[in-house]
């Protein structure tokens, strides 16, 4: 009897539909220079104008004239592709310049580019633990899937501490022999809840128990600190963190990932990480755009201030309307739904009837029962847009017979 592969695949997809967490990717095009306005191609009546509320291009730098001009210039200067891996043909001067800028941004000796934030996390964590014999990694319970994958692929022992729970972290550290290599892995801003790690206190424990630290600043770089270096920049503790990891595809508006650390640590990852060694490097066109973005945000706080003001206004608007906005100290504005089917239904109504694009966030991105809508207002979202969004949500909440706060 032959294995019916299609039946197994069909059952796997059917399970997602039954649980209300089958993911639908919306077909859109952003309008250059007019973010958050975009065109949606879902349906059969041609493109429909929409407003994007869930982009991780937090500061609209993907639309910035300096970024677009730098990419156009690079395209006409060197062409489209990088030519291969960094070792063989893809180590362009753009890459070298950007790594120097990123090292400076985080007050580190060196930096290393990857093709994405996911790859930088997975490759670095997996490689570090393999190089350190007997290493134990202490991982925050809410760490991103890419960090979890890197830790798993390292094959090392893992201890998970309760989210931002310093007492639990210390219990776990104290339980490991003093001569065991240790690495504490955590994020600065947790993107689904919008809370922040106690970085200085984690570094205190790392000093006490002789552990290395790895901080994922993906949702904070460009966004916080006087130069956009993230929470470690804002709090003046970048020098205390062994490795800072970031992305180039969110606040910087383009694509890619990186780490910043000492020359020795970066050299180890550069020399041992398969995820770096055996992949074509980022196109110099992309790198040129990021370079312009990083340099701009090092000297300009206008975008950061506008984004923070927009987030504060939307949180206040939701709260005053009785909508279940989750507590957040950052630019993330999560709205609790608690049901995957309803989260998808609200998202569908917003897009079809109000021209509002926000994706539902379901398991496994968040735990079951905590499904939500995640809004990321930016400096280009106006008060009028946010007031209209709030009114739309209140109407839908009533239509679906969901409870508002008194």
């Amino acid at each position: 009897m032959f294995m019916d592969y299609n039946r197994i695949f069909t059952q796997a997809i059917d399970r997602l539909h039954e649980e209300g967490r089958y993911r639908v990717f919306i077909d859109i095009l952003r309008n250059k220079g007019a973010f958050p306005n975009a065109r949606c191609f879902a349906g059969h009546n041609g493109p429909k104008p929409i407003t994007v509320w869930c982009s991780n291009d937090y500061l609209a730098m993907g639309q910035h004239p300096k970024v677009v001009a730098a990419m156009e210039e690079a395209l006409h200067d060197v062409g489209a592709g990088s030519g291969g891996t960094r070792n063989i043909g893809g180590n362009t001067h753009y890459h070298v310049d950007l790594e120097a800028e990123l090292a400076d941004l985080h007050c580190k000796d060196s930096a290393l580019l990857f093709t994405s934030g996911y790859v930088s996390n997975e490759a670095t964590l997996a490689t570090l633990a393999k190089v350190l014999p007997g290493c134990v990694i202490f991982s925050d319970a809410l760490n991103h899937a890419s960090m979890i994958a890197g830790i798993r692929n390292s094959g090392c022992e893992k201890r998970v501490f309760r989210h931002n729970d310093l007492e639990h972290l210390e219990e776990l550290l104290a339980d490991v022999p003093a001569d065991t290599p240790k690495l504490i892995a955590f994020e600065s801003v947790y993107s689904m809840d919008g809370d922040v790690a106690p970085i200085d206190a984690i570094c205190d424990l790392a000093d006490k128990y002789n552990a290395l630290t790895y901080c994922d600043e993906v949702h904070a770089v460009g966004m916080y600190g006087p130069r956009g270096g993230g929470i470690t920049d804002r709090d003046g503790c970048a020098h205390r963190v062994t490795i800072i990891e970031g992305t180039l595809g969110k606040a910087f508006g383009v694509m890619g990932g990186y780490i910043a650390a000492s020359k020795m640590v970066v050299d180890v990852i550069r020399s041992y990480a398969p995820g770096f060694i055996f992949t074509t490097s980022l196109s110099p066109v992309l790198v040129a755009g990021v370079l312009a973005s990083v340099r701009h945000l090092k000297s300009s706080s206008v975008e950061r201030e506008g984004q923070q003001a927009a987030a504060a206004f939307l949180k206040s608007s939701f709260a005053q309307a009785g909508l279940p906005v989750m507590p957040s100290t950052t630019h993330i504005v999560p709205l609790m739904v608690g049901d995957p089917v309803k989260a998808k239904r609200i998202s569908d109504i917003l897009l079809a009837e109000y021209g509002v694009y926000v994706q539902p966030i379901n398991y496994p991105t968040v735990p079951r029962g905590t499904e939500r809508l995640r809004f990321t207002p930016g400096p280009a979202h106006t008060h009028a847009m946010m007031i209209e969004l709030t009114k739309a949500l209140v109407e839908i909440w009533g239509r679906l017979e969901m409870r508002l706060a008194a």
Side-chain angles (χ1 to χ4, degrees):
M1 181 178 178
F2 289 102
M3 175 68 68
D4 187 348
Y5 294 107
N6 279 338
R7 180 179 61 83
I8 296 172
F9 296 147
T10 299
Q11 288 174 342
I13 294 298
D14 286 346
R15 284 195 299 272
L16 295 178
H17 282 291
E18 290 165 6
E19 295 171 12
R21 58 187 187 92
Y22 180 77
R23 295 172 188 248
V24 177
F25 298 161
I26 305 300
D27 184 0
I28 70 170
L29 284 175
R30 301 199 295 177
N31 298 325
K32 176 178 170 289
F35 187 79
N37 297 314
R39 291 156 281 165
C40 178
F41 291 82
H44 304 286
N45 298 318
K48 169 186 175 179
I50 61 171
T51 303
V52 178
W53 286 95
C54 54
S55 174
N56 285 340
D57 185 359
Y58 293 130
L59 304 179
M61 290 303 296
Q63 307 280 312
H64 198 282
K66 288 183 181 178
V67 174
V68 174
M71 295 178 75
E72 289 176 340
E73 182 181 343
L75 178 64
H76 293 291
D77 183 27
V78 300
S82 68
T85 65
R86 293 284 292 276
N87 179 53
I88 294 175
N91 193 52
T92 75
H93 192 62
Y94 287 104
H95 293 80
V96 175
D97 275 353
L98 180 55
E99 285 173 342
E101 286 286 349
L102 292 169
D104 173 75
L105 178 66
H106 296 294
C107 300
K108 298 295 184 187
D109 297 331
S110 193
L112 190 67
L113 288 175
F114 293 84
T115 51
S116 73
Y118 188 104
V119 174
S120 55
N121 269 336
E122 193 282 328
T124 303
L125 287 167
T127 301
L128 266 183
K130 287 177 180 175
V131 170
L132 295 169
C135 180
V136 177
I137 295 184
F138 301 82
S139 176
D140 188 285
L142 294 189
N143 276 343
H144 189 262
S146 57
M147 300 175 75
I148 295 169
I151 295 167
R152 182 186 300 117
N153 292 341
S154 74
C156 74
E157 185 179 346
K158 176 181 72 172
R159 305 282 180 91
V160 178
F161 61 94
R162 290 185 293 272
H163 177 53
N164 280 350
D165 189 328
L166 296 172
E167 290 185 7
H168 190 213
L169 174 58
E170 182 161 20
E171 281 179 27
L172 296 176
L173 286 164
D175 192 46
V176 173
D179 60 351
T180 299
K182 294 175 280 290
L183 174 67
I184 305 171
F186 59 97
E187 300 182 36
S188 61
V189 172
Y190 288 85
S191 65
M192 292 302 139
D193 290 353
D195 58 345
V196 175
I199 300 177
D200 258 321
I202 290 174
C203 290
D204 288 342
L205 290 177
D207 291 344
K208 181 176 179 180
Y209 292 95
N210 190 29
L212 302 177
T213 49
Y214 183 99
C215 181
D216 176 321
E217 287 259 44
V218 158
H219 290 276
V221 291
M223 302 289 295
Y224 298 92
R227 299 197 306 156
I231 300 296
T232 51
D233 182 23
R234 184 195 73 178
D235 295 352
C237 59
H239 64 287
R240 303 192 67 192
V241 178
T242 312
I243 300 172
I244 293 174
E245 183 268 348
T247 184
L248 307 171
K250 292 185 170 60
F252 292 128
V254 189
M255 181 182 177
Y258 66 92
I259 60 167
S262 69
K263 286 184 179 179
M264 181 59 71
V265 168
V266 168
D267 199 22
V268 166
I269 304 305
R270 182 189 70 87
S271 301
Y272 281 92
F276 172 79
I277 296 170
F278 299 108
T279 189
T280 299
S281 65
L282 285 168
S283 161
V285 176
L286 297 173
V287 179
V290 176
L291 193 56
S293 184
V294 172
R295 285 172 173 167
H296 175 79
L297 289 174
K298 276 184 175 180
S299 60
S300 173
S301 293
V302 172
E303 294 82 5
R304 286 188 282 277
E305 291 167 359
Q307 202 282 333
Q308 290 293 330
F313 186 90
L314 189 61
K315 290 174 190 176
S316 175
S317 182
F318 282 175
Q320 289 177 19
L323 291 163
V325 60
M326 298 169 63
S328 164
T329 59
T330 63
H331 58 283
I332 308 295
V333 185
L335 195 61
M336 177 58 69
V337 178
D339 179 274
V341 175
K342 286 184 177 178
K344 179 66 167 62
R345 179 68 178 138
I346 296 167
S347 173
D348 288 345
I349 293 172
L350 284 170
L351 184 63
E353 299 183 23
Y354 290 96
V356 166
Y357 173 44
V358 60
Q359 281 284 42
I361 307 295
N362 294 331
Y363 177 86
T365 306
V366 295
R368 297 180 195 274
T370 68
E371 293 83 5
R372 66 200 67 177
L373 302 175
R374 174 183 175 272
F375 296 88
T376 54
H381 288 92
T382 66
H383 284 191
M385 288 177 180
M386 290 186 265
I387 291 168
E388 288 302 311
L389 171 63
T390 302
K391 290 178 180 177
L393 286 165
V394 168
E395 186 278 318
I396 296 168
W397 241 252
R399 189 192 313 187
L400 301 182
E401 299 181 341
M402 297 167 65
R403 182 178 299 177
L404 293 170

